[in-house]
Amino acid sequence: MTGECGWLRLEGEGAQTVLVAGGVWTVRYGAALEKAVESALRPEGDTCRLDLTGISSMDTTGAMLLQRVASTLRDVDWDGLLGDLPERFRPLLVLARRAAEDAPAEITYPPRGSWIGLVERLGRATVEAAKEGRDLLNFLGMVTVTFGQALLHPKRLRPKALITQIEQTGLNAMLIVGLLQFLIGVVLTYLMADQFKKFGAEVLTVNLIGLTVLQEAGVLITAILLAGRSGSAFTAQIGTMKVNEEVDAMLTLGLDPVEVLVLPRILALLITLPLLTFFADICGILGGAVSAMLALDISVSQFLRQLHDAVTVKDFLIGMVKAPVHAVIIALVGCYEGLKVQRSAESVGKLTTKSVVESIVLVIVATAVFSVLFSILGIR
């Protein structure tokens, strides 16, 4: 509808000032009306009255702007105001008034330095963590369904992508995993040897090295290393694809990002983490053997004999059974955070850091759960 753009002007009416509105108050003239309202909201006196009888046309935008003007005036006679309006405009202004009255109150937060502020932030963080856990669980369900569908139609699995991910997460990580586990073995041996020397039981160092590396250190250190290396890479890779709108292009082409991007990464880590854990066990015990020879004068044959008496296949399996669980956690969190990335480089960096922290925390929580479970079941 065309017509004169809405306007507001002050008119004198005896000792009282009247704010008169007229013309067309619709979204068509929204920008001009906004400026007119901003001007009218300047202090003009306490007894200003509003006259809307000059309005020829009005929609929701106009009604909201007029409500905004009226709310700044004192002692507005709403009944008189609505009574002066044409019948067709009254429902809109009533709705605008109700919407303004039902507007949520502004939330005020306690000061950050107070105890109440600390409790408030703790509660807020707990709620956010619960929501994050729920969303991650939903993502796990979606990946499980997609994996089941891929098993029913094996052609949908992507062997080339799987092999590439195995190379990146497994072969390329062997050097750093082996070196780190070797050094962990050295550190543990010297630490335990200093304690056992006080009791003349240095040879028991071999027992603890074997049990610690096979049951806990091998898989845990490897998982933490892969969380920082591969988990962050998953988030950065998928996040960058989201920034470049490659994920949107996949959806346009009818491809499922979970099937194309997530499944190969999870399957690759399910294969490589147990293998890397086995390799890490060997390197850790090798580091313990070398340091035992240097610090305790224990020969290789003595070390192997003592290790054979101290550990069993069960100890090895206790560590290995954790590897697939840690692999799923790391890959799942990495891919989930990658798919949450917004369209900015800052978001990629932020969620990559968050992915690493979440993965490590969840891996340690899983390790604690395994320890309690094995203790209850009497497996150790």
Side-chain angles (χ1 to χ4, degrees):
M1 179 179 290
T2 60
E4 182 186 12
C5 175
W7 44 265
L8 273 173
R9 63 170 175 259
L10 286 170
E11 294 181 354
E13 188 179 274
Q16 190 180 39
T17 304
V18 180
L19 188 58
V20 182
V24 177
W25 284 71
T26 64
V27 68
R28 176 185 176 88
Y29 302 110
L33 290 171
E34 184 80 22
K35 292 180 181 178
V37 169
E38 289 296 329
S39 300
L41 292 181
R42 294 171 185 168
E44 299 289 352
D46 295 339
T47 58
C48 185
R49 191 171 65 83
L50 187 59
D51 182 357
L52 306 181
T53 53
I55 295 177
S56 60
S57 180
M58 182 172 66
D59 64 3
T60 307
T61 300
M64 294 300 292
L65 290 170
L66 288 170
Q67 157 62 32
R68 188 175 165 192
V69 173
S71 64
T72 63
L73 304 178
R74 292 185 180 180
D75 302 326
V76 176
D77 180 11
W78 281 101
D79 293 334
L81 194 66
L82 294 175
D84 293 339
L85 270 176
E87 182 69 28
R88 66 182 187 279
F89 295 153
R90 293 177 192 170
L92 273 179
L93 202 60
V94 170
L95 288 175
R97 183 185 176 193
R98 288 178 182 171
E101 291 174 349
D102 295 339
E106 185 179 352
I107 299 174
T108 57
Y109 297 105
R112 297 184 64 83
S114 65
W115 282 102
I116 297 178
L118 179 64
V119 172
E120 182 267 334
R121 290 197 300 278
L122 183 62
R124 189 180 299 278
T126 304
V127 171
E128 290 300 323
K131 289 181 181 177
E132 190 78 8
R134 178 200 61 189
D135 294 343
L136 192 59
L137 202 59
N138 288 337
F139 186 65
L140 173 61
M142 186 167 59
V143 171
T144 304
V145 171
T146 306
F147 181 60
Q149 292 172 343
L151 286 180
L152 294 176
H153 305 88
K155 289 183 179 179
R156 296 171 66 174
L157 293 172
R158 300 170 185 277
K160 289 184 179 178
L162 179 61
I163 292 172
T164 301
Q165 292 299 327
I166 288 175
E167 179 186 1
Q168 293 179 355
T169 60
L171 288 177
N172 295 347
M174 285 187 68
L175 179 61
I176 186 66
V177 168
L179 178 62
L180 194 62
Q181 286 295 335
F182 182 86
L183 295 176
I184 291 288
V186 172
V187 171
L188 288 176
T189 301
Y190 275 95
L191 181 64
M192 295 174 185
D194 289 341
Q195 297 301 318
F196 282 121
K197 275 182 180 177
K198 300 175 183 176
F199 306 99
E202 295 92 333
V203 72
L204 293 180
T205 302
V206 180
N207 297 38
L208 279 183
I209 286 293
L211 291 173
T212 304
V213 170
L214 292 181
Q215 290 193 8
E216 301 294 345
V219 64
L220 182 60
I221 299 297
T222 305
I224 291 175
L225 194 64
L226 287 192
R229 187 181 181 280
S230 302
S232 61
F234 291 168
T235 305
Q237 290 166 356
I238 297 176
T240 304
M241 292 179 72
K242 282 208 71 179
V243 172
N244 294 333
E245 300 183 353
E246 294 176 55
V247 176
D248 293 339
M250 285 183 188
L251 292 171
T252 305
L253 292 172
L255 298 174
D256 183 1
V258 174
E259 184 180 305
V260 177
L261 300 176
V262 179
L263 272 189
R265 287 170 169 80
I266 292 180
L267 293 176
L269 220 55
L270 272 172
I271 294 171
T272 57
L273 188 51
L275 294 176
L276 283 175
T277 299
F278 177 67
F279 177 66
D281 289 346
I282 294 174
C283 293
I285 291 176
L286 185 61
V290 172
S291 53
M293 284 189 293
L294 297 175
L296 303 173
D297 290 330
I298 295 177
S299 65
V300 175
S301 58
Q302 282 179 298
F303 185 90
L304 293 177
R305 189 166 52 251
Q306 187 68 24
L307 185 67
H308 179 267
D309 294 338
V311 300
T312 62
V313 175
K314 183 182 72 175
D315 299 313
F316 170 70
L317 294 178
I318 285 175
M320 292 299 294
V321 77
K322 302 173 188 175
V325 177
H326 292 343
V328 171
I329 290 174
I330 295 167
L332 197 71
V333 172
C335 296
Y336 169 72
E337 296 296 342
L339 289 173
K340 280 174 58 183
V341 165
Q342 303 298 317
R343 301 184 191 282
S344 70
E346 182 185 0
S347 177
V348 176
K350 182 178 177 182
L351 289 178
T352 299
T353 305
K354 185 179 177 183
S355 160
V356 174
V357 174
E358 278 186 5
S359 300
I360 292 176
V361 169
L362 290 178
V363 162
I364 293 174
V365 169
T367 301
V369 171
F370 271 119
S371 298
V372 174
L373 189 63
F374 289 156
S375 177
I376 292 174
L377 297 177
I379 295 177
R380 289 184 186 278

